[in-house]
Amino acid sequence: EVHRILREMSDRLRTQAPAIAGSLEVLGDLDLLFAKANFAIDFDCVVPRFSNEEEPRLQLEGARHPLLQDVLKRQRKPIIPISFALDNQRRILLLSGPNTGGKTVTLKTAGLLALMAQSGIPVPAREAEFPIFDQVLADVGDNQSISESLSSFSSHIKRVREILTLVTPESLVLLDELG
């Protein structure tokens, strides 16, 4: 009897499959919107602007890497936000300074926030403007490989060579510790 009832209920539900699938899709969309909204509230985010193609501009004011922000918040430590701007006249940003982690974090923050913005996710910043990048290419971190006989420097050069074959004028390229 239980088997018959379950089969009958399944048959009735099967006729409603398109409506159920549509409802599931709407619920997924709503869940995504609520997740973005909760993220934006939790990380004090803004909806970024996008610059036009004729005057591309990457501007971050008070930007923060969300993973670092989360870790430091749990440790009750302050996060130091970053600010910079790039445009047609200033297309390269060179970061230098002592080994305290800020340079790499700045590169990672810029790349992550650019990808978040293009994915429709609010970004943790006071203000943010991005061009539309066709790709984000990065060599960040140490890719030393004993199995491939690559030193840290050799692995950097190999990755930079790969980047040079892929890069376009609309790409964001992030290079860490190139020299």
Side-chain angles (χ1 to χ4, degrees):
E1 184 63 21
V2 170
H3 181 58
R4 183 192 64 76
I5 292 170
L6 289 174
R7 192 174 58 228
E8 184 179 313
M9 289 176 67
S10 295
D11 288 341
R12 287 183 185 177
L13 284 173
R14 197 172 290 113
T15 64
Q16 300 300 315
I20 292 170
S23 295
L24 183 61
E25 188 173 329
V26 169
L27 286 173
D29 291 344
L30 287 172
D31 188 45
L32 177 62
L33 289 173
F34 278 104
K36 287 180 184 181
N38 285 331
F39 176 80
I41 291 167
D42 290 347
F43 288 86
D44 194 24
C45 295
V46 297
V47 175
R49 295 182 315 276
F50 289 98
S51 58
N52 61 47
E53 287 182 38
E54 296 77 38
E55 297 179 42
R57 181 173 169 82
L58 191 166
Q59 178 181 359
L60 294 174
E61 294 291 331
R64 299 154 327 266
H65 193 293
L67 296 176
L68 181 61
Q69 182 176 344
D70 187 51
V71 166
L72 292 177
K73 184 178 180 180
R74 292 172 199 256
Q75 296 174 353
R76 300 185 192 279
K77 293 180 180 177
I79 188 165
I80 300 170
I82 61 168
S83 299
F84 66 87
L86 297 172
D87 55 27
N88 276 336
Q89 277 63 52
R90 291 175 291 171
R91 295 179 53 93
I92 297 173
L93 176 63
L94 176 66
L95 303 172
S96 67
N99 292 333
T100 57
K103 299 178 297 298
T104 299
V105 169
T106 297
L107 287 175
K108 290 180 177 182
T109 300
L112 177 62
L113 271 51
L115 293 170
M116 288 172 64
Q118 286 188 205
S119 298
I121 301 171
V123 298
R126 258 191 334 273
E127 186 178 331
E129 181 176 358
F130 294 94
I132 301 294
F133 295 112
D134 62 355
Q135 57 191 336
V136 176
L137 303 166
D139 178 37
V140 179
D142 187 352
N143 296 318
Q144 182 178 10
S145 172
I146 294 172
S147 65
E148 294 182 32
S149 298
L150 285 177
S151 67
S152 295
F153 182 73
S154 297
S155 67
H156 278 300
I157 296 304
K158 180 181 176 192
R159 179 66 182 137
V160 170
R161 186 174 7 141
E162 291 169 0
I163 288 171
L164 288 172
T165 64
L166 300 170
V167 71
T168 70
E170 289 78 34
S171 299
L172 174 62
V173 178
L174 305 168
L175 300 174
D176 189 26
E177 296 190 17
L178 183 59

